[in-house]
Amino acid sequence: MKGNMHNAGVNMNSAISPVELAKAYRLVNHGPTVLVSACHDGVEDVMAAAWCCALDFAPPKLTVVLDKATKTRELLENSGYFAIQVPTAAQLELTNQVGSISLRDNPDKLAHCQVELFCTGESDVPLVAGCAAWLLCKLIPESHNQQTYDLFIGEVIGAWADSRVFSEGHWHFEDADPQWRSLHHVAGGHYYAIGDALDAKES
Amino acid sequence: MKGNMHNAGVNMNSAISPVELAKAYRLVNHGPTVLVSACHDGVEDVMAAAWCCALDFAPPKLTVVLDKATKTRELLENSGYFAIQVPTAAQLELTNQVGSISLRDNPDKLAHCQVELFCTGESDVPLVAGCAAWLLCKLIPESHNQQTYDLFIGEVIGAWADSRVFSEGHWHFEDADPQWRSLHHVAGGHYYAIGDALDAKES
């Protein structure tokens, strides 16, 4: 099934480049709202999550908070894998919609939200096309955290970024088209884009 | 001791207003780099942390990752309380310095970094003057998370913001002086300020 749906490998878009795992934390270090994707038994879902955070450098880990009502949570609990991706200002409506509509209520959610998926070829976890960066994660099961806090921990086992906005281990928001800027959710449909670069002196 | 050092209550600065706890998550929802402060037995410390994230709405909770080497971690483990605050572009150097210098190596760290502290009067947890927002937290002890992942969970028991940039439950970065923008750390001394407001359509 997935072969038909996702014939695009990462290499189809030559702007997508691997990010070394030691620098994968930088993809989320600035606190963007992310998209979470997962699949199990032929079912795929994507949701938005503002509560995603780096947890460790090496091996890279991250946390993400997933409400019990979400289908994406069920899929990653069953498959043990998920992806975190960094959507862009160009994906504002997509991001807000996948964060507002549930696959449980609308089986056509992904088509309705105009989500295009692809796979890396190394994994069947679906990735969202058009994002600025992708982190493929293996769930580290922590039942107490998951049940008590809806808190999930993943080890990052693969990372990629679009070289038009992230290259050589650094974001280049200041030099890229503003449509590449990451989204930072506040509440409701209200977001901020990431802004100007600021460099501190050596301390 | 603290009475002499911290004679300023929150009310001394009339721009600082309480934030209702139901909306406290909004202070960190957009992923800013934060300052973490704590005190125990007369010792106070402040550090920067990029890995802080909202965890729940009601009661509001958050997570923060604190390396075992930090003095701030020791203080909050011993006292059971800490504060998370949102520094501004005007505090770029302060933020980078308190994140680079350890109180263990430099007992004059806070003076060196030009950190001015105050208290709310309801708690002896020191807060950093000049920030845009403050969240007073009670540690929810989770030994496994703390030891294995350096991951700490706090329940937010008080929240305040500077009304020049946050009022009526919303950030107003777009209308405030750019010096009030939150900081979003990438790596080294490299940060981004939060940027333009983007509003999604109703979905």
Side-chain angles (χ1 to χ4, degrees):
Chain A
M1 173 186 172
K2 297 189 73 72
N4 292 330
M5 292 181 66
H6 309 294
N7 54 5
V10 161
N11 291 335
M12 273 196 64
N13 183 338
S14 61
I16 300 179
S17 301
V19 174
E20 60 176 306
L21 287 181
K23 291 182 176 165
Y25 76 94
R26 295 184 183 181
L27 300 175
V28 294
N29 211 68
H30 65 299
T33 291
V34 301
L35 302 180
V36 188
S37 56
C39 70
H40 180 67
D41 210 9
V43 179
E44 302 170 311
D45 199 9
V46 177
M47 61 178 277
W51 298 354
C52 177
C53 191
L55 178 65
D56 206 352
F57 295 106
K61 297 187 191 79
L62 54 75
T63 56
V64 61
V65 180
L66 303 169
D67 190 85
K68 291 180 180 69
T70 67
K71 183 71 177 178
T72 305
R73 172 175 170 156
E74 177 189 316
L75 297 177
L76 72 86
E77 282 180 317
N78 285 329
S79 72
Y81 290 88
F82 61 101
I84 296 291
Q85 39 248 304
V86 181
T88 70
Q91 294 172 306
L92 171 65
E93 300 299 338
L94 181 158
T95 301
N96 199 55
Q97 286 190 5
V98 298
S100 308
I101 298 170
S102 174
L103 191 68
R104 296 192 195 282
D105 305 323
N106 186 341
D108 294 325
K109 172 183 175 178
L110 297 189
H112 176 80
C113 299
Q114 300 185 288
V115 172
E116 183 189 345
L117 298 173
F118 68 99
C119 285
T120 64
E122 300 162 31
S123 151
D124 67 351
V125 176
L127 307 179
V128 179
C131 288
W134 300 263
L135 300 108
L136 179 62
C137 300
K138 184 178 197 307
L139 180 65
I140 299 177
E142 287 283 3
S143 177
H144 172 66
N145 285 335
Q146 294 167 206
Q147 290 306 312
T148 306
Y149 300 113
D150 297 336
L151 179 67
F152 290 76
I153 297 178
E155 178 179 334
V156 181
I157 57 174
W160 299 266
D162 193 299
S163 58
R164 287 170 285 186
V165 64
F166 185 97
S167 61
E168 297 178 354
H170 288 283
W171 288 106
H172 300 286
F173 293 115
E174 59 272 44
D175 302 319
D177 187 293
Q179 289 294 301
W180 282 104
R181 298 210 171 209
S182 55
L183 299 170
H184 300 253
H185 189 226
V186 179
H190 190 54
Y191 296 75
Y192 285 95
I194 198 65
D196 296 338
L198 297 174
D199 287 296
K201 299 176 202 133
E202 292 294 318
S203 61
Chain B
M1 171 185 173
K2 299 189 72 72
N4 292 330
M5 292 181 65
H6 309 293
N7 53 5
V10 161
N11 290 336
M12 273 196 64
N13 183 338
S14 60
I16 299 179
S17 300
V19 174
E20 58 176 308
L21 287 182
K23 290 182 178 165
Y25 76 94
R26 296 185 182 179
L27 300 174
V28 293
N29 211 67
H30 65 300
T33 291
V34 302
L35 302 180
V36 188
S37 56
C39 70
H40 180 67
D41 210 9
V43 179
E44 301 170 309
D45 198 9
V46 178
M47 63 178 276
W51 298 354
C52 176
C53 192
L55 177 66
D56 206 350
F57 295 107
K61 299 187 190 79
L62 53 76
T63 56
V64 62
V65 180
L66 302 169
D67 192 87
K68 291 180 180 69
T70 67
K71 184 71 177 177
T72 306
R73 172 176 170 154
E74 177 189 316
L75 299 176
L76 73 86
E77 282 180 318
N78 286 329
S79 72
Y81 291 88
F82 60 102
I84 296 292
Q85 40 247 305
V86 181
T88 70
Q91 294 173 306
L92 172 66
E93 300 299 338
L94 180 159
T95 301
N96 200 54
Q97 286 189 6
V98 298
S100 308
I101 299 170
S102 175
L103 191 70
R104 296 192 195 282
D105 305 323
N106 186 341
D108 294 326
K109 171 183 176 178
L110 298 188
H112 177 81
C113 298
Q114 299 185 288
V115 173
E116 183 190 344
L117 298 173
F118 68 99
C119 285
T120 63
E122 299 163 30
S123 151
D124 67 351
V125 176
L127 307 179
V128 179
C131 287
W134 301 262
L135 300 109
L136 178 63
C137 300
K138 183 177 197 308
L139 180 65
I140 299 178
E142 287 284 2
S143 177
H144 171 67
N145 285 336
Q146 294 169 204
Q147 292 306 312
T148 307
Y149 300 113
D150 296 336
L151 179 68
F152 290 74
I153 297 177
E155 178 179 335
V156 180
I157 57 174
W160 300 265
D162 193 300
S163 58
R164 288 170 285 186
V165 64
F166 185 98
S167 62
E168 297 178 354
H170 288 281
W171 287 107
H172 300 286
F173 293 117
E174 60 272 43
D175 301 318
D177 188 293
Q179 290 293 300
W180 282 103
R181 297 210 171 210
S182 55
L183 298 170
H184 299 253
H185 188 226
V186 179
H190 190 55
Y191 297 75
Y192 285 94
I194 198 65
D196 295 338
L198 298 174
D199 287 298
K201 299 176 202 132
E202 292 294 317
S203 60

